[in-house]
Amino acid sequence: MFITFEGIDLSGKSTQIKLLEEYLKSKNKKVISVREPGGTVISEKIRDILLDKKNLHMEYVTEFLLFSASRYQLTNEIIIPKLKKKYFVLCDRYYDSSTAYQGFGGKTDLKSIYRVNKIATGKLVPDITFLINITAEEFVRRKKLINKDEDRIEQKDIAYYKKVIKGYLKISRNNKKRFVVIDGSKTIDEIHTDILKHLKKIKKV
Ligand code: ADP
Ligand code: TYD
């Protein structure tokens, strides 16, 4: 089963992936979690280019194609082989991130995004996508709280994040079958319970 997690930065994706991975392992399921951009040696190198603050003037299309290149490698090297071996694959971001960030947030046109997304994934669609939805204000609050060094993309302004949030909600409405929108303002435990509840509706876990 292929499960993806989406949402803006600091929405709580990695926290929830960790909890779900622990839960599935406690049920003796085969599980692997991966992150985008990254997850393979080549993809991690592409990640470094993407997030490097020294790369000041990266064009939106350059950015999009690099994310896509990283994704193709991860999909073929890790995700597809693990799915064939009946693993639960938990992925921190997938092509919906490109649609939301580079499409709705950036200036890359959506038609090209949809076309390249198909190429970059070999048309592999997640079985279920959890969108953890937080507001831009909550993003700012959490950012101040953790006070971590920002990467190149996190340096973008609040208006950009608002567009990404709106974009994600639009994508979820266009893909109702696989999307589950989770209220990210709930506590970590409540969100974990919500995720399990939805997962159990489609798979015995
Ligand atoms: P992401 O992977 O989406 O960037 P993280 O899981 O790393 O997000 O969480 C970002 C920050 O928000 C962390 O400091 C984490 O402890 C905190 N956090 C995660 N989930 C919640 C929640 N439900 N409520 C409040 N803070 C949260
Ligand atoms: P990530 O490491 O998931 O950051 P975080 O843990 O803060 O959510 O992703 C790095 C950044 O890359 C993040 O700001 C989102 C962005 N991104 C895109 O803009 N497009 C994409 O296709 C992907 C996968 C990520």
Side-chain angles (χ1 to χ4, degrees), residues 9-15 142 146 184 186-188 191:
D9 304 71
L10 307 185
S11 54
K13 300 178 301 301
S14 27
T15 305
R142 288 188 191 177
I146 58 173
K186 290 184 178 178
T187 67
I188 291 173
I191 295 174

Side-chain angles (χ1 to χ4, degrees), residues 122-172:
K123 298 189 185 167
L124 176 70
V125 178
D127 295 299
I128 187 164
T129 299
F130 291 107
L131 169 59
I132 307 182
N133 188 38
I134 60 165
T135 60
E137 289 74 25
E138 177 64 9
F139 163 71
V140 174
R141 195 188 69 80
R142 288 188 191 177
K143 205 159 90 160
K144 280 189 189 140
L145 221 65
I146 58 173
N147 204 14
K148 101 171 199 298
D149 209 22
E150 291 171 325
D151 64 44
R152 193 184 57 84
I153 290 180
E154 281 172 339
Q155 285 179 321
K156 291 184 174 160
D157 60 16
I158 291 304
Y160 177 77
Y161 277 102
K162 286 192 171 160
K163 281 194 270 179
V164 176
I165 293 169
K166 265 196 180 164
Y168 264 131
L169 291 172
K170 199 156 181 196
I171 299 167
S172 75

